[in-house]
Amino acid sequence: MNEEMTKSEEQHLSLQKALQQCELVQNMIDISISSLEGLRTKCATSNDLTQKEIRTLEGKLVKYFSRQLSCKCKVALEERSAELEDFPRLGHWFRIVNLRKEVTQEMSPGEVTLEGLLDLSEEQVCELLQKFGANEEECARLNASLSCLRKAHQLEFPLSCAHPCITPM
């Protein structure tokens, strides 16, 4: 029995591992978003404890999305499956940022990606969002959240400032 794996087998294992990790993290994202939306709608958002819980969940979600990006980036572009390309899910990111459904529904699937937004300047993000009917406050929230995601991802990849998935602004 040959104990050495072929390059193709190693790549498949790498893809499967990344996909499995992204799916696991996605389950955590789903649970956390549900809790976040519950806090936003069922609790007094002016309450200090509620605000603290909201910020804690938002911080966890940024880390989860960063982890998905990291797992995805460990697989070479040409080896990624369509299933892996589905992560991280932009619609979920927009729910965290609390963009209006009217704005997000105007976007065609694949027209905008989280990685694509991360590569844009703040001005470019606003220009893009305004095409879909976003207001200034939504642009500011999205840009602030993207900045947090960039920082979280840089902490995970401290030696590679120009990581292929996220280029810092």
Side-chain angles (χ1 to χ4, degrees), residues 5 50 71-72 74 79 83 89 98 110 122 142 159 167:
M5 292 172 76
T50 303
C71 289
K72 185 175 176 178
K74 289 176 184 174
E79 297 163 15
E83 204 174 358
R89 297 190 175 140
N98 208 13
E122 288 191 6
L142 181 59
L159 298 177
T167 52

Side-chain angles (χ1 to χ4, degrees), residues 41-57:
T41 57
K42 296 177 183 154
C43 297
T45 55
S46 58
N47 180 293
D48 286 345
L49 181 59
T50 303
Q51 281 294 315
K52 186 176 184 210
E53 282 301 309
I54 287 172
R55 297 298 164 245
T56 299
L57 278 172

Side-chain angles (χ1 to χ4, degrees), residues 73-137:
C73 288
K74 289 176 184 174
V75 178
L77 274 173
E78 62 276 1
E79 297 163 15
R80 294 181 191 169
S81 65
E83 204 174 358
L84 184 61
E85 284 297 332
D86 190 37
F87 295 105
R89 297 190 175 140
L90 182 62
H92 286 73
W93 187 257
F94 286 159
R95 286 171 61 194
I96 296 165
V97 177
N98 208 13
L99 288 183
R100 289 174 293 126
K101 283 190 190 327
E102 302 83 54
V103 174
T104 60
Q105 288 173 344
E106 288 294 315
M107 296 177 196
S108 302
E111 185 175 5
V112 180
T113 64
L114 187 54
E115 291 97 328
L117 288 172
L118 287 163
D119 285 336
L120 299 177
S121 69
E122 288 191 6
E123 295 78 22
Q124 291 170 317
V125 168
C126 284
E127 285 174 24
L128 179 66
L129 273 189
Q130 287 170 346
K131 289 179 187 175
F132 300 109
N135 60 40
E136 300 245 347
E137 182 186 333

Side-chain angles (χ1 to χ4, degrees), residues 144-161:
S145 71
L146 292 171
S147 176
C148 289
L149 184 54
R150 284 184 197 100
K151 287 175 188 166
H153 194 70
Q154 284 174 343
L155 288 174
E156 202 158 333
F157 287 97
L159 298 177
S160 63
C161 291

